[in-house]
Amino acid sequence: MRHISTTCPYCGVGCGVRATLADGQLTAVAGDADHPANYGRLCVKGSALHETLGEQGRLMRPRVDGREVAWATALDAVAERLAATRREHGKEAVAAYLSGQLLTEDYYVANKLFKGFIGTPHLDTNSRLCMASAVAAHRRAFGADAVPCSYEDLEEAELVVLVGSNLAWNHPVLYQRLKVAKTRNPLMRVVVIDPRVTDSCEIADLYLGLRPGSDARLFNGLLAWMADRGRLDALYLARHTRGLDAALAAAREDDVSLAAVAADCDLDPERLETFYYWFASQLHVVTPFSQGINQSSSGTDKGNAIINCHLAGGKLGLPGAGPFSITGQPNAMGGREVGGLANQLAAHMDYDSPGAIDRVTRFWSTPSLTPSLPEAPGHKAVDLFEAIERGEIHALWIMATNPAVSLPRADRVRAALEQCPLVIVSECVADTDLLAYADIVLPASSWSEKDGTVTNSERRISRQRGLLPPPGEARHDWWIICEVARRLGYGEAFAYAHPAEIFDEHARLSGFENLPGTPGERLFDISGLAWLDRAAYDALAPIQWPVTAAAPRGTARLFEEGRFATPDGLARLVPVRPRGPEQALCAARPLRLNTGRIRDQWHTMTRTARSPRLMNHRPEPFIEVAPADAAAWGVSDQQLARLRGAGGDYVGRVRLAKGQRRGEVFVPMHWNDRFSGAALAGRLLAAHLDPLSGQPEAKQGAVALAPLAIAWEATLLVAPDLAGEADWREEAAYWARIPLAHCQRWQLAGTPESADRDWLAWVTRHLPAATLWLEDPSGGRLRAAGIEAGRLRWWLMVGPPGELPGLAWLDERFAEAARDEALDGARRRRLLAGGDAGAADSGPVVCSCHQVGRSTIVTAIRDGDASIEALGARLACGTQCGSCVPELKALIEESSAA
Ligand SMILES: Nc1nc2c(c(=O)[nH]1)N[C@H]1C(S)=C(S)[C@@H](COP(=O)(O)OP(=O)(O)OC[C@H]3O[C@@H](n4cnc5c(=O)[nH]c(N)nc54)[C@H](O)[C@@H]3O)O[C@H]1N2
Ligand SMILES: Nc1nc2c(c(=O)[nH]1)N[C@H]1C(S)=C(S)[C@@H](COP(=O)(O)OP(=O)(O)OC[C@H]3O[C@@H](n4cnc5c(=O)[nH]c(N)nc54)[C@H](O)[C@@H]3O)O[C@H]1N2
Ligand code: SF4
Ligand SMILES: [Mo]
């Protein structure tokens, strides 16, 4: 048995993971007690990592034009076709679309190849959909894309203001740290600013459920309120900043009376004033902000409106103080460091930094090769796909992202991909929506196989370590890129034998001509990590940049001296004129659409859906609706409904949500064509962009809501080897595929045309051997099961899913079948009932770590275990990662109210 430390590949918290290997298998993961991001904690996604590995479902061999080929053939094809595209259409006809899920080393060589040697500016990343507005706001305020704070600042703050961040679900370990800090310091206050009541409100002393998109108005109001009440830090403003007057004047272009701001934000003026008072009277304020701010057509301004208030109050560069952009992806930061955005060059140098193009050119030159860098920024993500639509881009290489799902106007993106003459996709998983559009598919190694570094939200660089060999012929992304570079004639500039050498070059570039007081000066400097040999790189301990000769142990907090990365060293307050969402509501689409994340899924589900444990919390695509709206639009809880948006429809199950504002609905961003018939959030959204950052407005769409017309609902469980999906979806107005541990669950609903489906005929046609059959034609109810040679092959229930038994018992029967064990007579008799007659269904899973269901919990509460501690002692729920505690509390409240 061996233990290896590595870093979690999911969110930007960047937790250290201790992996246990036995007999060449990763058998367990645990939090790394020594890692300063998590000190031993892991959330449910991190602790299920070992369940998402394995060869099944992985891409194993390269494919060119639909045929499996050897690596040499695939790499030759990539190089030849890229070269031909450049020859025939110019270098700007070539583009790349990367991802914050690449390692820094992969990202660095991709950027170097495309911008430096192929010479195209059109290299952008999915960070455009994620952090681009925060990047632009940082650059305007601080002169560099630098997050000032550390996680410890969250713990040391007296006031924490979560704005557009559902930390409890999306950065669970950070949330747990905050929660513990709050228990230790009873004076600490937490404010949540989000149109939706989320689980993060569990620890909120004040919740501001503002009108979507009104954040800039709220923070402009705060700035004016502080100024009017003598709450500005005049000394800090005078010594370290510029722009207060202009920022205040812009804020005062609107009526900044409490009543007017509260009305615009749709808030209670007293609660608003409480927030203003708390913010103004505390020095140690941290404001974590995330996608509720960034994913907006005025996200950059919103970021600056927040930063303005911190600067104006001198709440920055101190322990427990600062605006804190919380990054999403594991290496969102690393991508920004290497220059992965289309408006950046490399190592925090941009097209507009004086001498930068020349500096990077000299640095990347080799004895016989001179790079040819572009002179101006390239297309940002959404524009890039429009350029493909216009026929300007002829070759696109996509790595580690799934734009067929995650970009707004998903169908137009798909049409653009369809028409692009060359689409190359580097991917780990065999079955994604994007792969259908790829001419060349390159199987990439994945987490646990690859070696490199990532940077988390607090600028901390950590190693991801290779633990296992990649399956089949999967190869590392950096290797694939360098092999293509070599074939294009750039071998000398890409002659790396190991990621350590790439990291070294990246570290050296960060320090290259980076001298204080010169035009080349950059805050991002990790020259202190240059010249690490393999052993030192392998042993690299987590460290926060800058890492320099002056700060060899890294830097926990930036701007402590009040010197910023602007030419005059002063931070800028930026005048902000609040704008509402670009997407207008209208009679045809009267509801505001909010999209976002759920606790147990990661993005397009390519990895998390492999863990049945993670599928269980929210097994189907859903629509959260305020109870009053549900009545108004004729839908009810658990009913299927349709949303109609800018680019198409979305079908999911209604969840009544008391915390949802009226006139607004929420859908998860995760579902896609692999898992449901019509549940692409990106199809509902138009592409309204922030003019400065190019980030799309993913949080403020416009939709109509209506019940879905269906004739029946059915649940079909099938053994993993039973394929017939096309048939099962036949005449389905809705379908969702839900992987369980030992079978696949299909949730189906029929179109009105299929109302008198003859189920016996249907089953005979599509499924083997129906041996048990129980029908109640008057009630439209039916249960049936297929048994072959004594083994369960499938199980069907026609009727409302509310009547489903707990599926664990049935799943276990499929496990027996897989082990080739025959059903015994007693179990066979109970098959249609789905288990022991008396056995209670444990209901949908609430605690994913210990797999405790809703009904089990409710029963325990009714039996008197009506506290978190009592439930934990009895059922163990909530005792591991803690993410379900808010849900447990809600159940306790509901049950005691009942
Ligand atoms: N479980 C899980 N965790 C993840 C991810 C995942 O896929 N799954 N993805 C990771 C990634 S890449 C990212 S970027 C982060 C994102 O992390 P978050 O930003 O926390 O995630 P979201 O759920 O997209 O949006 C956050 C909140 O913004 C709110 N919001 C919507 N409109 C507004 C508004 O106008 N104003 C304000 N103030 N709030 C608004 C939404 O209601 C939502 O609760 O999560 C990371 N962590
Ligand atoms: N409606 C709506 N849309 C959104 C958002 C939203 O809130 N609402 N959020 C946006 C945000 S913040 C983000 S970050 C994006 C995320 O959206 P995407 O980046 O499109 O989503 P992922 O599913 O993470 O895609 C990553 C892909 O890379 C593969 N992969 C994983 N590791 C590797 C690797 O090492 N190498 C290679 N080559 N491939 C790998 C995975 O299998 C997966 O297919 O979605 C954005 N889109
Ligand atoms: S909080 Fe984020 S980094 Fe930490 S274990 Fe969970 S998903 Fe991984
Ligand atoms: Mo993200």
Side-chain angles (χ1 to χ4, degrees), residues 676-691:
S676 193
L680 268 186
R683 191 174 276 143
L684 294 170
L685 293 167
H688 297 295
L689 307 182
D690 179 294

Side-chain angles (χ1 to χ4, degrees), residues 87 248 372 431 464 508 524 588 709 715 747 783 832 855:
R87 203 165 50 239
L248 260 179
S372 58
D431 188 24
Q464 261 193 28
R508 283 187 290 113
F524 174 68
T715 306
Q747 201 55 46
R783 286 189 187 205
L832 291 186
S855 322

Side-chain angles (χ1 to χ4, degrees), residues 215-216 219-220 300-310 574 576:
D215 303 79
F219 281 92
N220 265 3
T300 308
D301 277 350
K302 287 174 183 160
N304 282 112
I306 293 172
I307 298 171
N308 283 348
C309 294
H310 276 271
V574 178
V576 169

Side-chain angles (χ1 to χ4, degrees), residues 626-639:
D629 280 332
W633 300 101
V635 299
S636 52
D637 197 34
Q638 298 305 316
Q639 190 187 356

Side-chain angles (χ1 to χ4, degrees), residues 347-368:
H348 273 211
M349 284 174 275
D350 296 273
Y351 291 92
D352 49 8
S353 0
I357 296 177
D358 171 59
R359 188 177 309 115
V360 178
T361 303
R362 281 184 287 114
F363 184 84
W364 278 345
S365 293
T366 65
S368 53

Side-chain angles (χ1 to χ4, degrees), residues 10-12 45 130-131 162-167 169-172 193-196 198 210-215 289-293 295 302 326-329 594-603 666 669-670 699-700:
Y10 293 124
C11 85
K45 291 187 300 306
C130 181
M131 304 314 303
L162 289 172
V163 194
S165 154
N166 184 7
L167 206 70
W169 277 14
N170 301 324
H171 300 93
I193 305 183
D194 190 312
R196 231 165 33 111
T198 63
L210 83 178
R211 187 192 310 283
S214 63
D215 303 79
F289 65 96
S290 195
Q291 300 313 346
I293 291 297
Q295 288 175 340
K302 287 174 183 160
I326 303 291
T327 56
Q329 298 177 90
N594 182 0
T595 72
R597 292 161 168 75
I598 61 173
R599 192 184 76 193
D600 293 359
Q601 287 300 336
W602 179 260
H603 295 165
F666 176 85
M669 64 162 293
H670 307 286
K699 292 277 183 274
Q700 281 106 30

Side-chain angles (χ1 to χ4, degrees), residues 92 115 120-124 128 342-343 351 376-380 383:
E92 299 220 358
K115 288 191 190 140
T120 177
H122 306 310
L123 174 140
D124 206 38
R128 187 67 61 194
N343 46 322
Y351 291 92
H379 295 308
K380 303 183 173 106
D383 301 338

